[in-house]
Amino acid sequence: MKRILFLLFAIYTTVSTYSQTDYYVKDSALTMGITIIDQGIQNNQKSCKIQLKDSTFSFSPNQITEYSFGSSDKYFSKTFTINGVSRTNFLLRLDSEAPFVYYFQDEQHSTFFIEKENNKLVELTEQNYRRIIEDFTSHCSPNKEKLKFLTYSRLSFERYFSNTDYCKTKHTVYFKWGILAGAEATLPSLKSSPSNPDLKLFQFPYTYNCLFGIFVDYPIGKGNLSLHPELYIAKNGYSVSKHVTNKDYDFVSNITTANLPILLRYTASFGKLFPFINIGPTISYVLREKSYLNTATINMSSSTIMIDDNGPNRYFSSQQVGMAAGIGVEYKLNYKHALFVEARVNQQYGFQTQDFSRNNLQLIISFNL
């Protein structure tokens, strides 16, 4: 058992070191513990430049078969034809499973190559790349939907080919925008020393309202992260009363807010459903507020009522900032459109020294157009 554990540890250490250390391969021999100089993609395609103490030397594509900057870019020596001319260069391999895809860039243009079973490279041009990729992956139907979002750019290719299993339905990272609507339960939270001490008499319950707005979902890098800002309008109404001895206290407030959460979203794959989580800051602007704190004093001896109409006043900060976090699921309706359902919580605080902050519980449904 100890020998097996030692062997597994040795394999793990070797793989881990291999994936995080600069290396090059020459005549099937692996050399690590070196420093490879990043010359920029165009010069990296021409030579592998290595730093050794105070000197440098270079390998051409005819001298070594591959090299790598640790766990990042990997270059492979390949012979290919471009514009009718055969040439040998180091090509940047995109983070892909078979079929391997390579990227080439020079002063005139950039292009992609896909590797066939006989190691022959086929160029992917702007005119043929969809058709050729579809032929390579025709045995898997989910690929046809993903292919519709592929554009002729390095970042789009990296997103598409990154750890892609063509025979499984996975989340497709692409730009989305759409509309949203939801229900919101809001609890106003009174600060310890309000401007009017009478506010401390009230027990504020949750109030319920609707919200409407728009969203944008912008992919980050080639993984499943995206930037997800929203803009929505919500109206909140509060009405509470309190009777103390011979006085009746009434607080009524109606506010309309514009809300801007800027969220970081991570989306995973689970069959046909794609669960996601959101987290990020949120800013709210009070577009309109009408708040009243009225006091009615009953004089039993004279049978009269004296009303102190205190309002309208501003009790909510005109700008509030806080954090939002949520969990939801994306359901694909077709290759382009999806329905999103999310439960979210917001905690907001005022910029100014107004009396209330707000806590929100939300159920949001959105649809990308």
Side-chain angles (χ1 to χ4, degrees), residues 14-31:
T14 302
V15 171
S16 177
T17 303
Y18 178 83
S19 63
Q20 298 178 11
T21 304
D22 292 5
Y23 72 87
Y24 68 86
V25 178
K26 182 178 182 180
D27 299 328
S28 300
L30 174 67
T31 301

Side-chain angles (χ1 to χ4, degrees), residues 303-316:
S303 298
T304 59
I305 300 177
M306 182 181 294
I307 298 177
D308 180 13
D309 187 1
N310 184 9
N313 283 325
R314 180 173 288 277
Y315 294 100
F316 292 86

Side-chain angles (χ1 to χ4, degrees), residues 5-20:
L5 292 175
F6 177 78
L7 179 61
L8 292 175
F9 176 77
I11 294 174
Y12 171 80
T13 303
T14 302
V15 171
S16 177
T17 303
Y18 178 83
S19 63
Q20 298 178 11

